[in-house]
Amino acid sequence: MKSALREVHTVDVIDWFRDQPPLESCSIIASMPDFSEFPQFSLTEWKEWFRSTAELLMTRAPENGVVLFFQTDVKLDDGTWLNKAFLCQQAAEKAGSLLLFHKVICRAAPDRPTFGKPAYSHLLAFSKGIRDKVENATADVISQMGERTWPRGMGLNATRIAIEYIKTHTTSGTIIHPFCGEGVVLAVANAMGLNAIGIEKSKKRAEKALRLQVYPSQTSKDGFRFEP
Ligand SMILES: C[S@@+](CC[C@H](N)C(=O)[O-])C[C@H]1O[C@@H](n2cnc3c(N)ncnc32)[C@H](O)[C@@H]1O
């Protein structure tokens, strides 16, 4: 069996997508950077950046692919709530994509207050042409994100669920992961037989993303682990 391919581009995500010919046979998983990572932006400017970048990803994805967003809201210091699922939905309306699912991934135990970030993250799927297989419904509330390589990373369990969805609903042979960070999505995609393309502006994280491996695990609820 041919092993799955991986490449990581150390460039700005927006430049990379703008330079691509029409994308084929791929789906996209994005975890877009938070407002706190843009000290030069006001909240209004960051929201505009977030919406226009999400719209670019959805516009560039092929009709027969899906675009998944893994995002965590922010409880802002002024007592308002920054709802990233709403921003993704606004971008989807402009791109002509429809929402296929909105899953909630627990980050902390229920029935207790959390500060700064809520006790859950969103996992959202959008597509222009794919429709959900409603008879094969999967869980909407996921009890754990799974092990991570760093605090801003996607967890192994959330990543596996995202890629399983792409494998069962599309014919995509490649996962494109803009803002790939340390590369857990690329590693899980390869372990599940899909090619993976990462885009990351930090050279250090891009190098890690090119090397990171995961290993199937029967004993971990994540389905994978980082150690052999
Ligand atoms: C929330 S983290 C993504 C984490 C990743 N999903 C993981 O599991 O490790 C966002 C990443 O986006 C990168 N980034 C931010 N703006 C970028 C841009 N315009 N182009 C490329 N990478 C960018 C940051 O360096 C950071 O590593």
Side-chain angles (χ1 to χ4, degrees):
M1 195 176 78
K2 261 184 22 187
S3 60
L5 305 173
R6 185 184 317 183
E7 52 191 68
V8 179
H9 301 271
T10 315
V11 293
D12 190 283
V13 162
I14 294 160
D15 294 340
W16 189 87
F17 272 90
R18 290 212 172 116
D19 289 347
Q20 292 307 301
L23 297 169
E24 287 174 19
S25 194
C26 66
S27 286
I28 297 172
I29 300 177
S31 182
M32 309 240 294
D34 184 56
F35 175 45
S36 58
E37 294 175 55
F38 292 82
Q40 75 278 25
F41 280 177
S42 67
L43 183 58
T44 305
E45 287 167 335
W46 175 83
K47 281 185 185 171
E48 193 40 53
W49 177 87
F50 187 102
R51 272 190 292 252
S52 61
T53 306
E55 184 187 343
L56 176 69
L57 304 185
M58 289 191 257
T59 307
R60 287 315 211 97
E63 289 267 329
N64 61 0
V66 295
V67 184
L68 280 85
F69 292 92
F70 176 83
Q71 303 295 161
T72 307
D73 291 348
V74 184
K75 301 177 182 187
L76 295 169
D77 291 342
D78 67 359
T80 62
W81 188 293
L82 177 53
N83 182 348
K84 296 179 184 173
F86 174 65
L87 299 179
C88 290
Q89 183 66 54
Q90 285 184 314
E93 305 273 322
K94 285 186 87 176
S97 294
L98 295 179
L99 182 64
L100 307 185
F101 71 63
H102 182 168
K103 296 185 188 296
V104 166
I105 305 197
C106 300
R107 306 175 67 252
D111 304 322
R112 289 182 203 171
T114 58
F115 300 90
K117 290 181 175 172
Y120 58 83
S121 298
H122 308 280
L123 183 63
L124 307 157
F126 297 91
S127 181
K128 290 190 281 239
I130 297 291
R131 295 295 173 259
D132 194 29
K133 293 179 182 159
V134 285
E135 69 283 9
N136 296 341
T138 51
D140 300 318
V141 180
I142 316 290
S143 63
Q144 57 168 31
M145 174 150 60
E147 205 185 332
R148 293 185 282 177
T149 60
W150 64 312
R152 279 155 56 199
M154 260 177 88
L156 273 175
N157 194 41
T159 303
R160 176 185 57 76
I161 289 167
I163 295 173
E164 266 170 8
Y165 188 85
I166 291 170
K167 285 194 74 153
T168 53
H169 286 76
T170 77
T171 54
S172 299
T174 300
I175 304 284
I176 300 178
H177 187 36
F179 312 104
C180 74
E182 295 192 346
V184 65
V185 168
L186 311 180
V188 174
N190 283 167
M192 293 176 75
L194 298 176
N195 298 327
I197 300 174
I199 307 135
E200 169 57 54
K201 72 176 183 186
S202 151
K203 196 162 176 283
K204 195 170 152 210
R205 284 195 280 278
E207 279 165 8
K208 188 158 184 190
L210 198 54
R211 289 194 312 269
L212 185 73
Q213 297 293 331
V214 296
Y215 303 89
S217 169
Q218 310 256 333
T219 50
S220 165
K221 273 180 84 180
D222 297 343
F224 291 97
R225 52 192 159 75
F226 290 114
E227 299 301 324

